Amino acid sequence: MKRLFCVLVSFSFNFWAVAQQDSIRLNVKLNDDQKSISVEQTLVYHNPHRKSLNQIKLLNWVSAYQKRKTPLLKRKIEDRKNDLYFAKDEQLGKLESLQYSYNNTTSEILNTKQEKIFVPLSEALKPGESVTINLKYKIKLPDARFTGYGINVNHILLKYFFLVPETFEDESQSNSFYRDTEETANAGSFWRVNFEIPKNWKIYSNLIQNNDFEFEGKSINDPEFQISKEIYPEFSLTVDGQNVKVDLGYQTNEYQRQILSSVLTNHLKFIKSRTGNLPEKLFITDKFMKKEEFIGIDDIKFWKFKFQMFTDYEKTDLDYFSTISKKVMDEYFISNKTKDHWLKNGLKSYLEIQYLKQNYPNHKLIGNLADNANIFGIKPLKIFHASKLKLNERYGLAYHYIYTQNLDQKIDTPFYELSNFNTTAISQFETGSLLNYLSEYQGNESFDYFLKQYFSEHYQSEVVGDDFLSNLENHSNGKSAFLKKMMAEKHRLNFNLKSFDEADNDYFVKIHKNNSEIIPLKIETEKKSGEKTTFWKDGNLQKNDTISVPENQTNKIVLNDDYIFPEANFRDNYLYTKGIFSNMKKIRFKLIKDIQNPEYNEIFITPRLTFNAYDKVLFGMNFKNQGIFDQKFNYSATPYYSSGTGKLTGSAGLGYSILPPDSFFRSWNFGVSGSYFHYDNDLAYKKFGASTSLNFNKNPRSAIGRTLYLGYNYYERDLSPLMIANNDYSKYNLWNLGYAYSDNRMIHEQYISGNVQWMEDFQKISAEAFYRWEFAKDKKISFRWFAGYFVKNETKNALFNYGISRVSNYSFSYGLLGQSATSGILSQQFILAEGGFKSYFNTSVNQFITSFNVDSHLWKWFNLYADAGVYKNKNHSAKFIWDSGVKVKVIPDFLEVYFPIASSLGFEPGFKDYGYRIRYTLVLNLGALINNLRRGVF
């Protein structure tokens, strides 16, 4: 009885607290400078907590727009956006003054720089009680280039700027920060806002408009107001008898203006048929549209060429459906978008999937590109598996791509902790795929009935993710219970079609799963004609199971086709029933790297063309099993024909990676490799190696990487008669043990490494540190330090010495075009390693060296550099050397030219051979260039 009484009391309090609605009334004046607003605000605040409050916390998120040490700035730097960091003071936002009054008491708050402000109360506010507070303040608005909110050229967009209580405030009133992730600040309150603006300006908002200057309504999503000099498109639509107003906060082209009314009506009808209700008003800003539009359908533009993937109508239709579906979810119910982000995002993707099934069932992932890319009557893209993938498969593909790199995250990860890629691949696509999987299993009508019923009951009310899942579990009779666990972990679920047996006109298919979760399975049989039949098997606890499907001319058996379920491996989901590949996987050769077709064991063949001074032009073919997606096991072999020697050369390697979902390391890699090339005229080398590296776990939003590695390499070199006479090394082996730390973030880029290398004749230890600072926008200065020391050196010659101006490259690990070149253009290639001096110091180091390299922006493409160091050789005293000059950045970090000016050698432009003293860096590694350009994407 006592327990029942406590439950009733708790329920009564929660109901009472929820029933209390805060109200916010604002008079907002756009000041004459059109860069600030003056606000008079009346706040009726109800205490939602179980304890009394002595102060009220108000969010002051305009203070996030500072240049140092705010979570917003940190996030922008992580996204490789430096506008806020280098902003001028007049571009930043801030709360300039704040006065408050209540109970006939007026006071001023002086500290307005924090993202939360506490208004003290003279009397404790008991749970459920309310207090009315009057506020008067002035806000200096930020430049819109930082987040899209603030001052733009022709409009001002206001969101997250007013002082409001936090909807999901905890009992301790802890910090809540603005990060530009569309987090929930204040929802569920009643707002009434009156504006005072210049003539000929117009206001748009997601609240209901009473007149030209007044808006009011319940804030399901945080209110936003756009004050504009322009008139934007407005649509008054009738959807199944309901009037819905859609306002845009941007201009559209003429074609879109002609079709949007019917397009939006169709979209809203589709959404309403699955949700039951529609908001009375939708306001879409340009920021929102760009963030929520359909990904991957834009035209491909290259130089003067343009390739259209989808028609103008298809692009408009898909972009606006994606945007409208998310906007409806935002205005439909209240949720904590930091914690339960997956709810609205997943529903958006679920609606997209259903819309594609109905309206674009046969459209391909790359649209019409394979047909439109026509070269002399040939359509080269047709050979790619990517051209055959359905548009609906993009949801599973995105998750699978990030999983193969072990950079996926749990669905219930707080939104601001998700990497940029995972905000789409995990929060949207993976969640939407799971909801679609359940919908197909239960039947679309049953699942949509649940959505319509549940959200009709919670229309414009708060929805908690756990409550949604619990109700879904009840509706599905417990069959969706696996969702909660999948959302709470980095799952590695996998189903494997092991084999089949034939008996009594049926196939008995053996299935293995790597877990004991109760998950339903989708099985399809396919005839040679392409006709498919679908079967569903209820989940059970068994790891090994069997399902019977009719023979009925079945040619192929498929599990979870079209990437419908987020599995760890799709390559074991196919079985053939006929021919020599019965119970096996077919082998297929593919020209050029592609998205892997999981139905086959594919070998990708890619032409290769490279060059070095001794093999000259090398013509080759690369054979590898890895396509676009990373694989745990991979192999690669590249035989070349050397035009310089008329011989076959090449390289090959095998690798395997361990990728645990939750561990102190992200990947543990093992590899063996071998290569055969020429390092001098008619002199070849062979290299055989084995290595292992441990890449430590990392925050997917972070640019920090940490690696521990161990490697062994064995070398055989052809020697010239002179080298034999000098007792040079023809065979040697090297061991390497090292650790590397890198942080490639913007502004402050760092790299630290340590290495121990040894063989029978020497042992040496080296360390390197690199720091690059962006001291002004697009202007950087870098500092590098290197130190190397021979613990033991009993070598026969200078082969293994440290380089001052030029590395020896005895490990054949640097990309030198002329390995042994001592004169000519190839000898002028520069590698920033070891000493790192750009001027030629015609010696190497066999005892110790330490050097310091500085490189600083000067003007446009031009940098100044300077190097200084001390080195010591055996039986010689230590020497100090230095150099300086100008660097021209053609492609930064990949193609740069160094012009020496002054050094320990003298004034170098005065030397007769100055042309041969000019150095250059040239990196021909396309993969490294691509990785450099994609930083910040993930």
Side-chain angles (χ1 to χ4, degrees), residues 452-601:
K452 187 180 297 186
Q453 183 184 48
Y454 181 83
F455 287 113
S456 293
E457 292 174 357
H458 293 81
Y459 182 61
Q460 296 195 336
S461 301
E462 183 180 342
V463 174
V464 178
D466 286 342
D467 181 71
F468 172 81
L469 293 176
S470 296
N471 277 267
L472 179 58
E473 187 175 338
N474 291 335
H475 176 78
S476 65
N477 296 319
K479 295 177 180 178
S480 68
F482 67 91
L483 274 181
K484 284 186 179 180
K485 186 172 183 180
M486 286 189 69
M487 290 182 172
E489 64 182 15
K490 285 179 64 174
H491 55 82
R492 292 295 181 264
L493 299 174
N494 188 58
F495 303 98
N496 183 354
L497 287 183
K498 300 292 290 185
S499 61
F500 69 87
D501 295 318
E502 186 176 358
D504 300 327
N505 296 320
D506 284 333
Y507 291 122
F508 292 88
V509 185
K510 298 175 184 177
I511 303 172
H512 172 78
K513 61 179 180 179
N514 63 350
N515 62 83
S516 56
E517 295 297 315
I518 302 176
I519 302 174
L521 297 178
K522 181 183 179 182
I523 308 291
E524 287 181 316
T525 60
E526 183 177 332
K527 296 181 180 180
K528 201 167 185 179
S529 63
E531 180 185 343
K532 295 182 179 181
T533 305
T534 301
F535 305 87
W536 281 93
K537 179 174 176 56
D538 292 337
N540 56 52
L541 295 173
Q542 299 175 8
K543 288 189 176 182
N544 294 293
D545 203 355
T546 302
I547 183 173
S548 173
V549 298
E551 187 274 337
N552 195 23
Q553 300 180 354
T554 294
N555 184 62
K556 183 169 61 175
I557 303 171
V558 184
L559 173 66
N560 292 339
D561 199 16
D562 299 334
Y563 299 94
I564 189 174
F565 185 84
E567 280 193 63
N569 181 18
F570 292 95
R571 300 186 70 251
D572 50 19
N573 288 14
Y574 299 83
L575 281 178
Y576 280 87
T577 62
K578 303 286 192 298
I580 62 172
F581 289 100
S582 173
N583 265 325
M584 296 172 58
K585 190 180 289 291
K586 294 183 178 181
I587 298 174
R588 172 182 283 182
F589 289 90
K590 291 292 296 291
L591 186 64
I592 305 179
K593 195 172 183 178
D594 191 3
I595 293 177
Q596 293 98 314
N597 185 340
E599 191 173 339
Y600 299 91
N601 281 319

Side-chain angles (χ1 to χ4, degrees), residues 430-442:
E430 185 186 4
T431 309
S433 294
L434 289 171
L435 295 178
N436 173 65
Y437 192 73
L438 277 174
S439 177
E440 288 200 15
Y441 172 55
Q442 291 182 217

